[in-house]
Amino acid sequence: MNAIRTWFYERLPISRLELAELTNEPVPNHLRKWWFCLGGTPAYLFVVQIVTGILLAMYYKPSPSTAYESVRYITSEVSYGWYFRSVHKWAATLMIAAIILHQMRVYFTGAYRKPREINWMVGMCLLLCTLLIGFTGYSLVFEQLSFWGATVAANICNTVPLVGGFAKSMLLGGENYNANTLPRFFILHAAVLPVTMILLLMIHLGILRLQGVTEFEFENEAPDEPKYFNFFPDHLYTELIIGLVLMILLSALATVLPATMGARANPLVTPDVIKPEWYFYVAYRWLKLFSGTVAVLSTGFIVFAMFIWPFIDKFLRRKTKIDEISVWIGMAGVGLLVGMTVWEALVEY
Ligand code: HEM
């Protein structure tokens, strides 16, 4: 064992002690509570997505004539294909839920305030990329809803003044859904978006490492209690346990509620009900409530306001002198989000 260690050390002169020093930063006590370290959950699920996605890509054939059949083959004939496809689908859902919860934690604890404004904006880019990766993934199966969902999304893009037509033809690779559309979605889903997310994650975690996490004071904290604990191994164990629980949860969901196949896409038959995945319910309900252009522009405005929220918050607090104004606005926002999602889930059309 010693000889192997020496062999490696002579070629890679990094000692265990140096490595421990590099990774072992003191972690504030509040990160012992899982809801304060929810950011680790989407990171873990992202790795699950990469691994299961690579396995699925070995059999998936991205063209309108072959896609549906290749997904059917993965689901019913490839060994454990149904399992990896189902884990991929469930991990996508859980990842989006975890990001929303992480963002809510950051928001309601004011952890986006100076000096963390840039990291909030990087986080917003991660949120948008995750939603896009979910949308493009859903379109790859080439079911009725994949085809009509993509068509509806392209028509929504088209309602944006000036750039709408261009955005639509960029998305579809032509005026309408055609043979170029599915390969385009696949490249976005399996290459462009994951690579962008890896870069964004490196920036997100790099900034976090430079600044450290926000430190909070709690009323019930004993003054003589140590305020920090070690990242290695204490925090690493917490993350590993969360990872194990997630793996069990994913396996249970994949087994009890496996991914199924809907009807194959038929461009000549519009389905009675076109519904996106649950995480787009709120945007879809909004679109139904307002006319096309108003709905799209107001959605863009809301996303932009979320993007620059740290600066809006600073401005509002200075003008109103109400320190918790963001909490009240956040509660109204979450209420609206949950209300519209439930509304869309309950109605058939
Ligand atoms: C793939 C998605 C994301 C991953 C993997 C991720 C990962 C993380 C991790 C591991 C932390 C350390 C603290 C914690 O665990 O809560 C963190 C902190 C942070 N994240 Fe994210 N994040 C993601 C998305 C977002 C989003 C959508 C936002 C907001 C728009 C955001 C904003 C922040 C901010 C401001 C911090 C610093 C919090 C503090 O100092 O307490 N992140 N992120």
Side-chain angles (χ1 to χ4, degrees), residues 325-336:
I325 185 134
S326 62
V327 176
W328 298 116
I329 295 175
M331 274 159 56
V334 172
L336 198 70

Side-chain angles (χ1 to χ4, degrees), residues 54-260:
I54 290 173
L55 294 175
L56 293 175
M58 288 179 182
Y59 291 94
Y60 179 71
K61 298 194 178 81
S63 95
S65 55
T66 52
Y68 186 80
E69 177 50 27
S70 68
V71 179
R72 194 208 56 78
Y73 183 73
I74 292 169
T75 316
S76 20
E77 285 172 56
V78 176
S79 303
Y80 294 100
W82 66 271
Y83 175 75
F84 289 116
R85 183 177 164 221
S86 306
V87 167
H88 196 72
K89 213 173 163 193
W90 276 110
T93 285
L94 293 188
M95 183 170 169
I96 290 175
I99 292 180
I100 296 172
L101 291 178
H102 167 58
Q103 184 168 8
M104 277 167 62
R105 192 291 285 174
V106 168
Y107 181 90
F108 284 108
T109 54
Y112 54 81
R113 288 184 184 149
K114 188 184 168 191
R116 294 184 175 77
E117 300 94 330
I118 296 177
N119 223 9
W120 168 269
M121 293 195 277
V122 176
M124 275 302 295
C125 294
L126 277 166
L127 175 71
L128 296 179
C129 283
T130 312
L131 291 174
L132 272 179
I133 217 169
F135 167 72
T136 48
Y138 182 63
S139 308
L140 295 182
V141 189
F142 206 62
E143 293 175 347
Q144 268 291 65
L145 289 186
S146 317
F147 176 86
W148 289 99
T151 308
V152 170
N155 290 338
I156 292 170
C157 287
N158 205 23
T159 59
V160 179
L162 301 175
V163 291
F166 175 72
K168 180 182 174 185
S169 62
M170 279 301 282
L171 189 68
L172 296 181
E175 279 310 298
N176 294 303
Y177 200 107
N178 61 72
N180 294 327
T181 311
L182 205 57
R184 185 165 289 219
F185 278 26
F186 183 60
I187 294 292
L188 283 174
H189 182 78
V192 178
L193 288 165
V195 170
T196 311
M197 286 180 73
I198 290 171
L199 293 176
L200 287 169
L201 269 172
M202 282 162 64
I203 301 174
H204 197 57
L205 300 180
I207 296 179
L208 189 84
R209 190 84 174 75
L210 284 173
Q211 298 178 326
V213 287
T214 309
E215 306 207 358
F216 299 106
E217 297 271 328
F218 294 94
E219 278 164 12
N220 55 357
E221 243 174 59
D224 48 346
E225 208 180 280
K227 291 210 171 330
Y228 300 92
F229 64 99
N230 282 336
F231 180 88
F232 189 81
D234 299 30
H235 190 64
L236 191 71
Y237 283 158
T238 313
E239 291 291 352
L240 286 179
I241 291 169
I242 294 176
L244 194 68
V245 170
L246 281 170
M247 210 54 240
I248 295 169
L249 183 67
L250 279 175
S251 287
L253 285 168
T255 314
V256 178
L257 297 166
T260 51

